[in-house]
Every structure is written in structure tokens, then in C-alpha cells.
């Protein structure tokens, strides 16, 4: 199949393109660097010509509430319109566990808006809600640091390796549409446990009312529910 990967030059997209090619597909990386811009619509029609599947792994350049909502809504509308015109039969999107449970997060509100556009489009779809990546633990710690101390919420996190996310997306894109599914890592940690394990030199303090990038969490807000697929890479494996 011809599978177009929107955001195909990023952390997930580049791995995904390679995996799809290994499976024998015609995998086309599409991003501004290849002349395809899902926000402006530039290059979309040509890139999607003859495509069977489109996988969207784009991310907003801004996490501010207004710009991130505008990015995901504009990009997704453009993609879905171009897919309808090209006769694409399967739209795959990477989303986040908790999108419909954390309305105080502007970023997750934007991802939920993206999901609603996909589910109402009439195009067969797979939405993969994944947990946070091991690769972003450093950024989480940096964003929670005040005066050299990492302040974390009293909640659980279920990290997954980016390689496992790409592998699951390759499997989904190669098959029939699945609707909305969840994907998580094989282990759950407290924020303090995870950051201390990955960044042992950091001082970590648990705040009972602590927030995650400004958003209050329940204990299981960022973990998978029943029926989720669990990846195989454990923390000790990822750290090797």
C-alpha cells in the first residue's frame, strides 16, 4: 500500500516510515521539509494521490492554548478534506491517553478537538492514544523544576518507548481501521520514581496538589484503561 506519514521526519514518523518500508509498503514521509504542509495545505493533494492510508503524527510548534488548538483543527481539517478528495480509505492518528479526561489542559483539549474531527469525518479511522514517551522524561523534569528542585504531582505515569509506538502504528496502518485504541508502557511508576530512576542527580519533591504542565491530575489520569495494548520495553530495557 501507499502510506503517507504526515510528520514523517520527526521522532515517531521517521521510525514509522522505515518500519513500513520494511513491511513492503510505499511509505512516503510528508512534512514541510519535503514540501508538504498540513496547516497551509501546500503539497497535500500531490502527496496523497493514490494513497491508501494516511498516518498523522504531527505536533504543534506551540503549546499555548490558542495556537495549539488552531494547529490541530486546521491541520486535521486540511488532511481530512484532502483524503476525501483522494479516496483515502484509512486515517490513522497518534493521540494521547487522557485527552477526554483532562479538560483543564489546553493541549489535551486541542487533541480532543482533533479526535472529534476525525470521528465525525466519515473516513474509516484508527486513533491511537499513547501514554507519555520515555524520551520526554527529561523535558517533563525540566518543565517541573523550580530552583533546581523537580516538583511532581502525586500521580502515576506509564511511559512507553518511542520505538514501540512506531511499531504499533506500523501494525495499525497496515491493517483494518480499529477505531479508538489505547497503547501504554508495561510498567506504572509514580512521577517521583520515574524521574529519580532516569535522572538520579535531580532532587525530586512530591506535591500533593502538584500539576502536570499546569493541569491537575487524578492518580490514573495518564495511565491506560481496560483493553489497552501494552508494549514490551521496560524502563531497564530502555536505559541499556
Amino acid at each position: 500500500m501507499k502510506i503517507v506519514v504526515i510528520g514523517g521526519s520527526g521522532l515517531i514518523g521517521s521510525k514509522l516510515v522505515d518500519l513500513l518500508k520494511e513491511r513492503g509498503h510505499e511509505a512516503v514521509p510528508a512534512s514541510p521539509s519535503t514540501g508538504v504542509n498540513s496547516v497551509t495545505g501546500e503539497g497535500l493533494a500531490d502527496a496523497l494521490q493514490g494513497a491508501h492510508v494516511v498516518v498523522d503524527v504531527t505536533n504543534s510548534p506551540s503549546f499555548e492554548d490558542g495556537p495549539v488548538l488552531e494547529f490541530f483543527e486546521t491541520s486535521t481539517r486540511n488532511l481530512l478534506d484532502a483524503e476525501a478528495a483522494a479516496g483515502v480509505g484509512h486515517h490513522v492518528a497518534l493521540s494521547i491517553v487522557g485527552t477526554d479526561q483532562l479538560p483543564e489542559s489546553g493541549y489535551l483539549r486541542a487533541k480532543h478537538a482533533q479526535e472529534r474531527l476525525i470521528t465525525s469525518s466519515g473516513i474509516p479511522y484508527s486513533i491511537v492514544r499513547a501514554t507519555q514517551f520515555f524520551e520526554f522524561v527529561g523535558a517533563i523534569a525540566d518543565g517541573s523544576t523550580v530552583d533546581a528542585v523537580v516538583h511532581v504531582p502525586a500521580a502515576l505515569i506509564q511511559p512507553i518507548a518511542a520505538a514501540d509506538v512506531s511499531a504499533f502504528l506500523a501494525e495499525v496502518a497496515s491493517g483494518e481501521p480499529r477505531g479508538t485504541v489505547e497503547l501504554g508502557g508495561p510498567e506504572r511508576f509514580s512521577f517521583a520514581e520515574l524521574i529519580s530512576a532516569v535522572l538520579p542527580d535531580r532532587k525530586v519533591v512530591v506535591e500533593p496538589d502538584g500539576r502536570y504542565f499546569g493541569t491537575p491530575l487524578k492518580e490514573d489520569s495518564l495511565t491506560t484503561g481496560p483493553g489497552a495494548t501494552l508494549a514490551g520495553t521496560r524502563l531497564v530495557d530502555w536505559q541499556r
Side-chain angles (χ1 to χ4, degrees), residues 95-150:
S95 192
I96 304 171
V97 165
T99 50
D100 55 348
Q101 302 296 322
L102 298 170
E104 292 190 53
S105 166
Y107 186 86
L108 292 184
R109 286 199 305 273
K111 292 297 289 183
H112 197 210
Q114 177 190 32
E115 291 186 2
R116 290 196 301 269
L117 288 170
I118 294 166
T119 58
S120 63
S121 69
I123 297 172
Y125 68 89
S126 300
I127 295 172
V128 177
R129 290 179 174 175
T131 54
Q132 188 55 273
F133 305 161
F134 284 122
E135 286 79 0
F136 291 160
V137 172
I140 292 171
D142 291 344
S144 306
T145 298
V146 178
D147 296 330
V149 177
V150 185

Side-chain angles (χ1 to χ4, degrees), residues 12-45:
I12 299 298
S14 58
K15 292 182 174 68
L16 176 57
V17 167
D18 290 341
L19 289 169
L20 290 171
K21 288 180 177 177
E22 290 175 9
R23 288 172 172 254
H25 299 297
E26 178 189 354
V28 180
S31 64
S33 64
T34 66
V36 181
N37 190 316
S38 59
V39 175
T40 65
E42 177 189 1
L44 275 181

Side-chain angles (χ1 to χ4, degrees), residues 37-97:
N37 190 316
S38 59
V39 175
T40 65
E42 177 189 1
L44 275 181
D46 288 341
L48 268 57
Q49 186 173 1
H52 300 89
V53 182
V54 170
V55 185
D56 181 7
V57 292
T58 57
N59 202 3
S60 172
S62 170
F63 287 3
E64 296 295 323
D65 288 4
V68 73
L69 179 61
E70 182 179 2
F71 174 87
F72 282 118
E73 288 191 328
T74 302
S75 174
T76 303
R77 285 194 181 103
N78 286 341
L79 283 175
L80 294 170
D81 287 347
E83 289 170 30
V88 173
H90 187 186
H91 179 96
V92 181
L94 177 60
S95 192
I96 304 171
V97 165

